[in-house]
């Protein structure tokens, strides 16, 4: 009986093993494992590409944001400079009208003086014919000019009262003429300065417009590349999702097929054993069944908490302005309000004032700072003794029309009309030609 049971159990086990080790089934398992390995490798490659693309997308987006901010600054600067150019043009027209009016008044005054001159000549001639005062005639004959004659004649005590009155009135008219002429010269000088400033502003606006157009084109190109990158990223992501879905479905199907085969084999073995027990009428050991082991997926995380670098702290006036390089724009008369400073809108003197204020040095009221106030703010030193932190001056549209901070190595940092805040070379080229040798140590 025992031999019969042993034979029966052996037959059941061989049957179960045969079901689980058929060539077709083994081939399917091997193919699935190979396919799984290939998909996993492909998924790693795709994920690596997605991460690289995401990093590039983030970088491009940050660059776009920076360029948009600079474009906005240039737009504000252009608007502000246009307003100032229009105001300057209006001032020029108004001053021109005043000069024209002064010239008319001077012309009338000169005509009056000529009439006075004729009257005095007639009186002197009449006095001579009547045998009058010789001293008066000597004054007339000895004078080098009509103005000199008036001054000499007023000093002669023997001149008759009528002539003296005419001479005094003439003297007053001469003084008035000199005053008006001085006013005209002053207004003309002021007009010329304003015209020079207007011309300089026109150059600045043209340079800023050129920079603005270049940035706009660059921004457009960047946006096109960014969109292309997004499309590529989406395509890779879709491909990855499909591959992952296929892998999961294949694994699911394979596990289902394996479970069906295992249960069928166990059921057949069980039924055979029960039948054998009945036939043998003896207790029989039931075949052990193996339990499925499930692997718990391991969770992993590649996320790294972002760390932020500490904000740079300005330590001296030479480097404190570096934060505005590429993030600022030149505005004629700008930088004198918190709004302008927040947007990086400076002119040369307001930038110098701001830079020194960051290291605790006050260069006077911000609202009235100019190249004129700055050149008297410290001690003038020889250009041969120039050192970092000194103020350097340049003759641009006028004498001492531009100022910057010397950083060493023949270079200075300042707010330039075409670049905004930037480091420029003063040892060669344009700035070498414009440097006038004035160096002020604060």
């Amino acid at each position: 009986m025992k031999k019969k049971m042993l034979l029966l159990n052996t037959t059941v086990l061989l049957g179960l093993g045969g079901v689980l080790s058929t060539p077709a089934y083994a081939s399917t398992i091997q193919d699935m494992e190979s396919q799984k390995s290939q998909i996993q490798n492909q998924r790693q490659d795709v994920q690596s590409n997605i991460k690289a693309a995401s990093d590039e997308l983030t970088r491009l987006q940050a660059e776009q944001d920076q360029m948009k901010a600079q474009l906005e600054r240039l737009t504000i600067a252009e608007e502000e400079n246009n307003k100032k150019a229009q105001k300057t043009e209006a001032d020029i027209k108004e001053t021109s009208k005043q000069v024209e009016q002064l010239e008319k008044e001077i012309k009338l005054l000169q005509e009056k003086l000529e009439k006075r001159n004729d009257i005095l000549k007639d009186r002197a001639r009449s006095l001579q014919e009547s045998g009058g005062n010789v001293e008066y005639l000597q004054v007339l004959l000895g004078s080098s000019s009509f103005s000199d004659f008036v001054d000499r004649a007023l000093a002669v005590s023997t001149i008759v009262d009528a002539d003296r009155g005419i001479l005094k009135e003439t003297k007053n008219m001469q003084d008035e003429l000199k005053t008006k002429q001085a006013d005209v010269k002053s207004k003309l000088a002021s007009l010329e300065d304003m015209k020079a400033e207007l011309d300089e502003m026109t150059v600045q606006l043209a340079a800023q417009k050129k920079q603005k157009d270049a940035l706009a084109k660059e921004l457009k190109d960047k946006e096109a590349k960014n969109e292309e990158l997004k499309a590529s990223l989406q395509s890779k992501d879709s491909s990855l999702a499909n591959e992952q879905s296929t892998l999961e479905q294949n694994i699911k199907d394979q596990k289902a097929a394996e479970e069906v085969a295992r249960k069928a084999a166990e059921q057949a073995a069980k039924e055979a054993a029960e039948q054998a027990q009945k036939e043998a009428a003896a207790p029989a050991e039931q075949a052990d069944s193996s339990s499925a082991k499930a692997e718990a997926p391991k969770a992993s995380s590649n996320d790294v908490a972002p760390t932020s670098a500490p904000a740079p702290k300005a330590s001296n006036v030479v480097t404190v302005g570096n934060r505005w390089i590429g993030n600022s724009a030149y505005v004629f008369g700008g930088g004198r309000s918190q709004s302008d400073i927040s947007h990086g809108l400076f002119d040369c003197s307001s930038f110098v004032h701001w830079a020194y204020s960051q290291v605790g040095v006050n260069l006077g009221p911000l609202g009235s700072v100019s190249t004129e106030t700055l050149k008297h703010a410290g001690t003038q030193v020889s250009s041969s003794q120039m050192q970092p932190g000194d103020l350097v001056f340049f003759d641009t549209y006028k004498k001492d029309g531009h100022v910057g901070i010397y950083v060493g190595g023949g270079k200075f940092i300042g707010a330039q009309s075409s670049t905004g805040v930037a480091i420029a070379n003063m040892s060669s080229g344009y700035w070498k030609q414009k440097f006038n040798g004035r160096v002020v140590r604060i």
Side-chain angles (χ1 to χ4, degrees), residues 88 180 270 277 302:
T88 302
K180 288 185 178 293
K270 182 178 179 181
Q277 287 177 353
N302 294 327

Short mmCIF file of all heavy atoms in Angstrom, two decimals, residues 88 180 270 277 302:
data_model
loop_
_atom_site.label_atom_id
_atom_site.label_comp_id
_atom_site.label_asym_id
_atom_site.label_seq_id
_atom_site.Cartn_x
_atom_site.Cartn_y
_atom_site.Cartn_z
N THR A 88 13.35 119.98 -22.67
CA THR A 88 14.54 120.75 -23.05
C THR A 88 14.28 121.51 -24.35
O THR A 88 14.68 122.67 -24.50
CB THR A 88 15.75 119.83 -23.23
OG1 THR A 88 15.97 119.12 -22.00
CG2 THR A 88 17.01 120.61 -23.58
N LYS A 180 22.28 144.48 -20.52
CA LYS A 180 21.48 143.65 -21.43
C LYS A 180 22.37 142.76 -22.29
O LYS A 180 22.03 141.61 -22.58
CB LYS A 180 20.61 144.55 -22.31
CG LYS A 180 19.45 145.21 -21.57
CD LYS A 180 18.55 145.97 -22.50
CE LYS A 180 17.37 146.58 -21.75
NZ LYS A 180 16.46 145.53 -21.25
N LYS A 270 -4.33 18.11 -6.34
CA LYS A 270 -5.20 17.85 -5.20
C LYS A 270 -6.24 16.78 -5.52
O LYS A 270 -6.50 15.86 -4.74
CB LYS A 270 -5.89 19.15 -4.79
CG LYS A 270 -6.80 19.01 -3.58
CD LYS A 270 -7.41 20.35 -3.22
CE LYS A 270 -8.34 20.20 -2.01
NZ LYS A 270 -8.98 21.50 -1.67
N GLN A 277 -6.21 8.59 -2.44
CA GLN A 277 -6.54 8.25 -1.06
C GLN A 277 -7.78 7.38 -0.98
O GLN A 277 -7.87 6.45 -0.18
CB GLN A 277 -6.74 9.53 -0.25
CG GLN A 277 -5.44 10.27 0.04
CD GLN A 277 -5.69 11.57 0.77
OE1 GLN A 277 -6.84 11.97 0.93
NE2 GLN A 277 -4.60 12.22 1.18
N ASN A 302 14.35 61.40 -5.33
CA ASN A 302 15.54 62.11 -5.79
C ASN A 302 15.44 63.60 -5.53
O ASN A 302 16.27 64.38 -5.97
CB ASN A 302 15.76 61.88 -7.29
CG ASN A 302 16.11 60.42 -7.57
OD1 ASN A 302 16.74 59.78 -6.76
ND2 ASN A 302 15.65 59.93 -8.72
#
